[in-house]
């Protein structure tokens, strides 16, 4: 397999270096950029995200993020959202009473996780479906989470659809929430694969291998 | 299954070099924080903390360099504390590859700093480090613990438990709770301090200070700590990360293997 050409979208959010280095470690050729055409044309796009939902959306809007994702997905070109980069794929996010529209690729809301200790910070188990591509060989591994908000329900009804339903991976902290979604070219993880040691690197490798 | 108890080694870094004697076998350069960080990662450390004790703030370029070289090689979370005074300091650390910034003295001087940092980077990046000790002499606080500065030498008279709670309400996403009484004793963590802090806040607590034996860690977790931190027992090879995790698991606590 040749090196996969990956763009990590730089829209002013946090630690991008780790995402870049982790992807490079598993063989990708990575560019960190905010350039729209470059992000549009790349073989794969990673949308990272840390901090507040509203701040991330403001940053993403400033780089034409919603259109970028729409056009990529219309062409079947892969996108991986990480942490808040997953959360913004839902319809909206509610943090501290601030309700912010998201990309709306999936219906539903991201809001506060109901748990005794928040943020949910540390290494937790996940429950991937048997046919998951991202978690192939990794179902027993722990991944590194750090977040206070989450998608606590899945509201897209695909039961009448003839196409494959999205693969949902759940985790539990106080209550169940979505740890990952695999939906055709659009994948997302609530945890940080780039901070999840060997398990995280293996998950990124699984993702890259699925793009060939 | 549930969230694993995090086991975190802490490295004191002075001018880009690890201090506090390091006794790792099979390391080409045990004074190099990057080499040591990779060794701890291989041992199963769940996170790493660098405490920058470089005296002169003008020399912090070496710190950023160490952070970025570590982040290039080690794919577990990295917290960097010591001399973090402004949001620009945090920005530089995060850009270099750190995931969280530890804030201590600057927040005592100006508690709003925690809020400013949380607003800009998110609470998950903001770790409030509290150096606490039992009150001495005429000093009294409701909890019986006070915040100290200067490595535990100077008491502030501020109630340490109330300060941890205030820090969380002002935006800290995690509390690094250092017992200055237990620090260096190897007699175990100060579980009374941990219990008191756990009661008043709902953000994660990292317990620090006093670890001497593998059996010392479980009581800290039972007292309410979400994570346990130690320095010298790991550096001197008295304990390995794996030994600590085995003992935690034997006590029925979840760990990452």
């Amino acid at each position: 397999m040749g090196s996969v050409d990956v763009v990590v979208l730089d829209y002013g959010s946090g630690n991008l270096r780790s995402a870049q280095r982790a992807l490079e470690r598993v063989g990708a050729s990575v560019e960190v950029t905010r350039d729209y055409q470059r992000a549009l044309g790349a073989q794969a796009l990673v949308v990272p995200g840390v901090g507040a939902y509203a701040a991330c959306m403001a940053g993403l809007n400033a780089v034409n993020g919603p259109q970028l994702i729409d056009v990529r997905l219309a062409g079947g070109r892969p996108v991986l959202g990480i942490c808040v980069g997953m959360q913004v794929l839902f319809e909206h996010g509610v943090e501290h009473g601030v309700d912010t529209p998201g990309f709306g690729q999936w219906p539903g809301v991201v809001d506060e996780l109901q748990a005794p200790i928040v943020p949910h910070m540390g290494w937790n188990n996940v429950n991937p479906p048997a046919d998951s591509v991202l978690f192939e060989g990794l179902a027993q591994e722990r991944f590194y989470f750090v977040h206070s908000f989450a998608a606590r329900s899945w509201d897209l009804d695909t039961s009448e659809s003839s196409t494959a339903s999205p693969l949902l991976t759940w985790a539990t902290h106080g209550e169940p929430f979505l740890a990952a979604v695999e939906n055709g070219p659009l994948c997302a993880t609530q945890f940080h694969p780039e901070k999840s040691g060997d398990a995280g690197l293996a998950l990124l490798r699984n993702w890259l291998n699925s793009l060939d | 299954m549930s969230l694993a108890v995090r086991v975190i080694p802490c490295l004191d870094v002075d001018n880009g070099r690890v201090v506090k004697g390091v006794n790792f076998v099979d390391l080409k350069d045990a004074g190099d924080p990057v080499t040591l960080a990779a060794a701890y990662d291989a041992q199963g450390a769940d996170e790493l903390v660098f405490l920058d004790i470089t005296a002169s703030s003008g020399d912090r370029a070496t710190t950023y360099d160490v952070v970025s070289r570590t982040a290039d090689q080690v794919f577990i979370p990295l917290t960097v504390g010591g001399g973090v005074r402004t949001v620009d300091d945090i920005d530089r650390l995060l850009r270099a590859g750190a995931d969280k910034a530890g804030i201590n003295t600057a927040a005592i001087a100006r508690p709003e700093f925690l809020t400013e940092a949380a607003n800009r980077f998110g609470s998950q990046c903001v770790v409030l480090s509290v150096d606490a000790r039992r009150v001495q002499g005429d000093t009294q606080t409701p909890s019986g613990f006070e915040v100290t500065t200067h490595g535990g030498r100077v008491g502030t008279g501020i109630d340490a438990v109330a300060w941890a709670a205030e820090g969380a309400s002002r935006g800290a996403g995690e509390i690094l709770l250092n017992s200055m009484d237990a620090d260096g004793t190897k007699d175990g963590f100060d579980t009374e301090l941990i219990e008191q802090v756990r009661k008043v806040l709902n953000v994660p607590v990292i317990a620090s200070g006093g670890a001497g034996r593998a059996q010392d860690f479980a009581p800290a977790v039972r007292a309410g700590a979400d994570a346990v931190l130690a320095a010298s027992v790991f550096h001197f090879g008295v304990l390995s990360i794996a030994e600590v995790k085995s003992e935690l698991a034997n006590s029925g606590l979840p760990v990452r293997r």
Side-chain angles (χ1 to χ4, degrees), chain A residues 5 46 73 84 103 148 172:
Chain A
D5 165 41
V46 171
L73 293 176
V84 184
F103 288 175
S148 301
T172 301

Side-chain angles (χ1 to χ4, degrees), chain A residues 10 12 14-23 25 50-52 55 96 115-125 141-148 172-173 192-199 201, chain B residues 1-4 6 41 45-47 67-69 71-78 94-100 119-125 172-174 198 201-205 226 254-257:
Chain A
D10 180 6
N15 175 4
L16 302 177
R17 189 184 186 101
S18 295
Q20 177 185 4
R21 292 293 186 260
L23 286 158
R25 177 64 71 95
V50 298
H96 310 297
I117 306 285
V118 175
H120 173 219
M121 190 180 287
W123 300 78
N124 212 336
N125 301 107
E141 299 291 339
R142 290 176 180 270
F143 295 87
Y144 187 80
F145 292 84
V146 50
H147 61 118
S148 301
T172 301
H173 182 64
H192 287 271
E194 79 281 16
K195 285 288 161 184
S196 295
D198 290 342
L201 294 175
Chain B
M1 295 298 282
S2 58
L3 200 55
R6 286 173 283 153
D41 177 27
D46 295 312
E47 279 189 43
V67 169
S68 64
R69 286 190 293 122
D72 286 351
Q73 290 192 29
V74 178
F75 299 103
I76 58 175
L78 173 63
L94 298 183
R95 283 178 187 282
D99 300 287
K100 310 182 216 178
N119 286 345
R120 172 116 173 243
F121 307 105
S123 285
Q124 81 291 335
C125 288
E174 190 169 37
R198 174 77 290 157
L201 50 76
N202 66 352
V203 301
V205 174
D226 303 277
V255 293
R256 176 177 75 109
R257 304 278 197 153

Side-chain angles (χ1 to χ4, degrees), chain B residues 104-105 108 131 133 147-156 180:
Chain B
N104 191 334
T105 319
I108 298 170
D131 292 344
R133 72 175 180 196
V147 177
T148 67
T149 59
H150 300 81
R153 293 193 304 278
V154 180
T156 63
M180 305 317 286

Side-chain angles (χ1 to χ4, degrees), chain B residues 8-12 47-51 78-81 176 206 229:
Chain B
I8 307 174
C10 176
L11 309 182
D12 287 2
E47 279 189 43
L48 295 167
V49 171
F50 283 174
L51 182 61
L78 173 63
T79 300
V80 184
L176 173 49
I206 305 170
L229 179 145

Side-chain angles (χ1 to χ4, degrees), chain B residues 11 17-19 21-37 40 235:
Chain B
L11 309 182
R17 302 289 295 173
V18 177
V19 293
V22 170
N23 189 24
F24 261 52
V25 287
D26 300 335
L27 286 188
K28 277 189 184 133
D29 182 1
D32 175 28
V34 182
T35 306
L36 208 51
Y40 281 130
H235 301 335

Side-chain angles (χ1 to χ4, degrees), chain B residues 9 17-18 27-28 54 62 66 84 96 120 144 167 186 202 215-216 235 241 243:
Chain B
R17 302 289 295 173
V18 177
L27 286 188
K28 277 189 184 133
T54 308
T62 41
V66 164
V84 176
R120 172 116 173 243
K186 299 192 166 42
N202 66 352
Q215 302 93 294
D216 288 338
H235 301 335
I241 304 282
E243 283 168 335

Side-chain angles (χ1 to χ4, degrees), chain A residues 85-159:
Chain A
M86 165 172 171
Q87 298 179 357
V88 296
L89 296 170
F90 289 84
E91 248 172 343
H92 63 136
V94 179
E95 294 188 351
H96 310 297
V98 179
D99 194 339
T100 309
F103 288 175
Q105 295 293 340
W106 301 316
V109 63
V110 170
D111 58 6
E112 189 165 17
L113 199 54
Q114 302 299 306
I117 306 285
V118 175
H120 173 219
M121 190 180 287
W123 300 78
N124 212 336
N125 301 107
V126 296
N127 295 301
D131 46 352
S132 165
V133 172
L134 287 185
F135 294 94
E136 190 186 344
L138 302 173
Q140 303 306 315
E141 299 291 339
R142 290 176 180 270
F143 295 87
Y144 187 80
F145 292 84
V146 50
H147 61 118
S148 301
F149 304 88
R152 299 150 61 221
S153 66
W154 178 256
D155 299 340
L156 182 64
D157 180 6
T158 51
S159 59

